[in-house]
Amino acid sequence: MRRHFRLDVFTQLGTVFLESDDVRRKEIAREVAALCDEWYTPGVHERLNTIDRQRADALGDIDRLVRLARIESATVRRRLTGLRWEGDRLVVTGAARLDGITRDDGLTVVLRARHDPGTELVLPVERKGGEFTVRLDVGALGSGVWDLRVAVEIEGVIRLGRLGADRESDLARPRPRLVGGVVVLPYFTRDNGNLSIDVGGHVVAVPGAATLIRTRWALGHRLLIDGEVTVAGTAPQAAAIRRIVWRERRSGCERAERVVPLPGGGFAARPAVGRLAPGTWDAYLELDLGGPPARFRIETGATAVAAPRRWWGAALMRSVRPYATSGKGRLSAVVKRLTAETLVKRLLR
């Protein structure tokens, strides 16, 4: 029933209503009123948008129905004029109005969770002339992607429009920021250039770097690793640094190793790389920044990497060669195992 009223009945009070003369408008209003008397229920009313609810209450007022139709057909003009950090608050400034309508009854900014449309935050704005300012407490946002809309209210009708596609030419997105241990990334969408906020790094790559300071061998053929990490230009909280993940390049097999977080973004680990299966393994540092695990390849120079090591155990000669990859210089390790028979055959070739 909601679909029938929204798509069939109340559409007669939109463009068709505006293009009709006074006599036809009265006929349309009577026809819609008759259908409402027969089928319109409180359940249908609750599920309609604001403009159709207003129409249902104004079927005896032709002038108001005309105004509502004009409000519906008016374009929501909105422009983003400023975007900056103020401490841990994201300050958004802009302008919004309905095209051809000189007044409104209120203006708000609406943040809607992209993957849970039923979750939204309505924020009041500060207004000065035709412009508005809203200060977003990003620390109050849950993990996920939040899309920004401006909401213009007039005569009980709320018109929404995405914010950001129309913006000042020199307006750049603010740098990502860590707020309470969670990474917050304002960005403009790729398709339409609208403003959204990624809390936790769900769709936007988290900027950061994990750097190796030194490595050395310890008892048990463990590779001692010291390093440091930065996220969005600052040191993350110690609790965010979770583990080192070794990923075998060909098979994609992974093995996680415990890491000890240190103050100021430092970390230390003692991975038993000799226990890795034969192959080439790439090292990542994994962090919890409020969303999906964020991984950074551990960057290094050749001088920070320990020398290769070989040893015998369980009739196998094991070898581990840590190295810095060519080009970007990232920590990897080649692991091999040879039986005595295989080793002899190689020597006799």
Side-chain angles (χ1 to χ4, degrees):
M1 292 301 298
R2 179 194 66 85
R3 174 183 172 85
H4 174 64
F5 273 100
R6 181 171 62 88
L7 298 181
D8 300 327
V9 177
F10 288 128
T11 53
Q12 300 302 310
L13 299 174
T15 303
V16 173
F17 200 75
L18 286 178
E19 294 174 348
S20 300
D21 57 27
D22 290 341
V23 174
R24 179 57 184 148
R25 286 174 181 172
K26 291 178 181 179
E27 291 176 354
I28 293 174
R30 283 196 298 269
E31 292 169 359
V32 172
L35 288 169
C36 288
D37 288 341
E38 185 79 16
W39 302 103
Y40 195 77
T41 66
V44 171
H45 183 81
E46 291 175 3
R47 289 166 174 80
L48 291 176
N49 58 27
T50 56
I51 193 164
D52 286 338
R53 292 181 187 180
Q54 296 296 325
R55 283 167 169 158
D57 295 333
L59 292 175
D61 187 341
I62 300 299
D63 291 339
R64 177 160 167 73
L65 290 176
V66 171
R67 293 198 304 273
L68 291 173
R70 287 175 177 161
I71 292 171
E72 182 185 49
S73 63
T75 301
V76 182
R77 300 292 183 188
R78 64 272 190 199
R79 184 171 180 82
L80 183 65
T81 59
L83 192 60
R84 71 183 190 278
W85 286 110
E86 192 176 89
D88 288 339
R89 293 179 181 268
L90 185 64
V91 180
V92 181
T93 60
R97 63 180 177 82
L98 290 185
D99 195 17
I101 299 177
T102 57
R103 67 173 185 84
D104 62 67
D105 300 326
L107 181 68
T108 56
V109 168
V110 179
L111 279 77
R112 184 172 296 169
R114 182 176 299 176
H115 303 295
D116 184 11
T119 301
E120 65 178 29
L121 297 175
V122 180
L123 305 177
V125 303
E126 304 167 15
R127 300 188 72 175
K128 185 176 181 180
E131 291 211 344
F132 69 85
T133 300
V134 62
R135 289 172 170 81
L136 307 180
D137 180 8
V138 294
L141 300 178
S143 180
V145 179
W146 296 81
D147 298 322
L148 275 75
R149 290 172 169 81
V150 63
V152 181
E153 181 175 356
I154 180 169
E155 294 203 32
V157 177
I158 297 175
R159 293 291 312 280
L160 293 165
R162 284 283 270 125
L163 186 64
D166 183 6
R167 59 181 182 270
E168 300 292 337
S169 58
D170 59 347
L171 188 64
R173 71 173 185 171
R175 291 175 57 85
R177 179 163 294 200
L178 284 176
V179 179
V182 176
V183 65
V184 180
L185 306 105
Y187 74 101
F188 297 111
T189 60
R190 184 178 301 175
D191 50 359
N192 296 314
N194 288 314
L195 177 62
S196 295
I197 302 174
D198 185 348
V199 179
H202 294 262
V203 298
V204 180
V206 178
T211 305
L212 187 68
I213 297 175
R214 63 172 178 167
T215 58
R216 59 207 183 278
W217 291 104
L219 294 175
H221 307 294
R222 289 181 174 270
L223 185 65
L224 302 189
I225 294 176
D226 295 318
E228 58 187 8
V229 61
T230 60
V231 176
T234 188
Q237 295 179 357
I241 305 173
R242 302 298 301 274
R243 59 185 187 169
I244 285 181
V245 177
W246 294 89
R247 182 180 177 86
E248 206 285 311
R249 195 173 295 174
R250 178 183 295 180
S251 66
C253 178
E254 294 185 353
R255 178 170 177 146
E257 297 277 359
R258 180 175 173 269
V259 66
V260 178
L262 302 173
F267 64 90
R270 301 176 67 249
V273 289
R275 297 178 184 175
L276 297 175
T280 301
W281 296 80
D282 299 322
Y284 297 81
L285 184 68
E286 187 173 278
L287 287 80
D288 180 0
L289 299 173
R295 287 186 179 181
F296 304 108
R297 281 286 270 126
I298 299 178
E299 301 174 2
T300 181
T303 57
V305 180
R309 172 164 284 201
R310 297 178 180 178
W311 68 94
W312 284 93
L316 292 173
M317 189 184 78
R318 304 168 189 263
S319 70
V320 177
R321 181 174 65 87
Y323 72 99
T325 62
S326 60
K328 295 184 178 180
R330 293 168 170 174
L331 179 62
S332 295
V334 176
V335 179
K336 294 181 179 180
R337 294 179 186 174
L338 297 173
T339 64
E341 180 181 358
T342 302
L343 187 59
V344 170
K345 287 182 179 178
R346 286 192 174 186
L347 292 175
L348 294 177
R349 285 179 182 175

